[in-house]
Amino acid sequence: MRRLSRKKALSLVRELDAFPKVSESYVETSASGGTVSLIAFSAMALLAILEFFVYRDTWMKYEYAVDKDFSSKLRINIDITVAMKCQHVGADILDLAETMITSSGLQYEPVIFELTPQQRLWQRTLLLIQSRLREEHALQEVLYKTLLKGAPTALPPREDTSMEPLNACRIHGHVYVNKVAGNLHITVGKPIHHPQGHAHIAAFVSHETYNFSHRIDHLSFGEEIPGIINPLDSTEKITYNNNQMFQYFITVVPTRLNTYKISADTHQFSVTERERVINHAAGSHGVSGIFVKYDTSSLMVTVSEQHMPLWQFLVRLCGIIGGIFSTTGMLHGLVGFCVDVICCRFKLGVYRLREDVQLHNQMNNLNHHQIPLLDDHVPRE
């Protein structure tokens, strides 16, 4: 009984077979079919290799949410060189709440404003990268993927000890501010704080020494990450007017970066530049100096590195192989039909399918080999 039930089960499974087997004696091979098969197999191999490279690659996914963190401090990283002596300039930050943050976290270092050939080459390279980033936004994703591997973005030190006078002041360091709008300004005189606000002691500085030509080697917000190039890095402004005002309007966007190499909370920002000459007689009022006005966005961007799952890669691979196999089969049949039509083989009542022709030939061969039967009415010898 068990054997009978097994046989019934096997016979039932055979009836459900969706892939019927064809005997090799009924299969006809041709040179054109072999050529199409070689082309199909080559295309399958090529596309499978390309799909494997796509599977290995990653892409960046951007998600947007409301920034609910208002209590934390915002770090500002500064490295600016001004073409004035350090005793003549001062830097401080005044936020929207009229809270002045002194320059205790900033250092003033006398330097030479002119760059060495090696430093100038570094600056030109960084400017070239900046211009490419403005044109090709996809390059930013490449920078995200290669973090901690790229070259340092800081200005390299001078390779020689020059005897030139120290005619500039490098203001560098970092400060922590509230996450509200603020104004970082560098102007003449050291800043002082008093109950009515703040001021800069500029009475003892000669007007002829005013020169706010400057170079922004680095300006960023949040945690410093090697490999990230910020919009104002390597920016250089030269002026020959003593009453020049430079303004930078910055919108800071909190950014959470999650890649396979690093996870950090940093900030991106966009900037708009403006400069003008202070001339009270012409109605252009203001104070000479460098002003960086920043404001934080209420949206937070989460940048995460994504990878194609294995099951999706296998599905795409099966689709490539099956699609090419089916498409080449249909194209081969269509091309064969068109060749038959072109060769004038398709005529009404004359053209028959190749299978019918072969069956007819086989029947003719059998008729030729058969011995004719004698009729009963024909007399035998």
Side-chain angles (χ1 to χ4, degrees), residues 54-67:
V54 173
Y55 170 71
R56 289 186 56 189
D57 195 14
T58 58
W59 66 91
M60 309 306 295
K61 181 180 179 181
Y62 296 85
E63 297 177 336
Y64 303 91
V66 177
D67 185 17

Side-chain angles (χ1 to χ4, degrees), residues 2 5 27 37 46 54 102 109 175 184 212 219 228 266 316:
R2 291 181 179 179
S5 61
V27 178
S37 299
L46 178 62
V54 173
T102 60
E109 178 184 353
V175 292
L184 163 66
F212 286 101
L219 179 65
I228 288 186
T266 182
R316 290 165 65 98

Side-chain angles (χ1 to χ4, degrees), residues 130-163:
Q130 292 277 25
S131 62
R132 295 295 296 172
L133 284 174
R134 294 187 184 97
E135 297 175 1
E136 303 289 341
H137 298 285
L139 291 179
Q140 186 64 45
E141 296 188 1
V142 178
L143 294 178
Y144 284 147
K145 296 178 186 178
T146 58
L147 292 179
L148 304 178
K149 277 189 174 182
T153 57
L155 180 69
R158 302 182 73 91
E159 62 273 10
D160 57 349
T161 56
S162 178
M163 300 303 294

Side-chain angles (χ1 to χ4, degrees), residues 304-318:
S304 57
E305 189 174 6
Q306 300 291 321
H307 187 273
M308 182 187 298
L310 180 61
W311 66 267
Q312 188 175 356
F313 167 71
L314 295 177
V315 169
R316 290 165 65 98
L317 195 62
C318 293

Side-chain angles (χ1 to χ4, degrees), residues 267-320:
H267 293 74
Q268 303 179 85
F269 65 90
S270 60
V271 59
T272 302
E273 304 177 15
R274 181 188 178 190
E275 57 181 273
R276 60 188 176 92
V277 178
I278 302 301
N279 188 352
H280 298 286
S284 178
H285 304 290
V287 180
S288 303
I290 304 167
F291 299 87
V292 181
K293 298 183 179 181
Y294 62 90
D295 192 5
T296 57
S297 174
S298 59
L299 292 179
M300 181 180 65
V301 181
T302 302
V303 184
S304 57
E305 189 174 6
Q306 300 291 321
H307 187 273
M308 182 187 298
L310 180 61
W311 66 267
Q312 188 175 356
F313 167 71
L314 295 177
V315 169
R316 290 165 65 98
L317 195 62
C318 293
I320 289 173

Side-chain angles (χ1 to χ4, degrees), residues 320-332:
I320 289 173
I321 296 175
I324 292 178
F325 189 81
S326 302
T327 304
T328 52
M330 290 186 294
L331 289 177
H332 179 248

Side-chain angles (χ1 to χ4, degrees), residues 1 33 45 102 130 152 164 257 260 305 357:
M1 295 296 292
T102 60
Q130 292 277 25
E164 298 181 12
L257 188 60
Y260 291 106
E305 189 174 6
V357 173

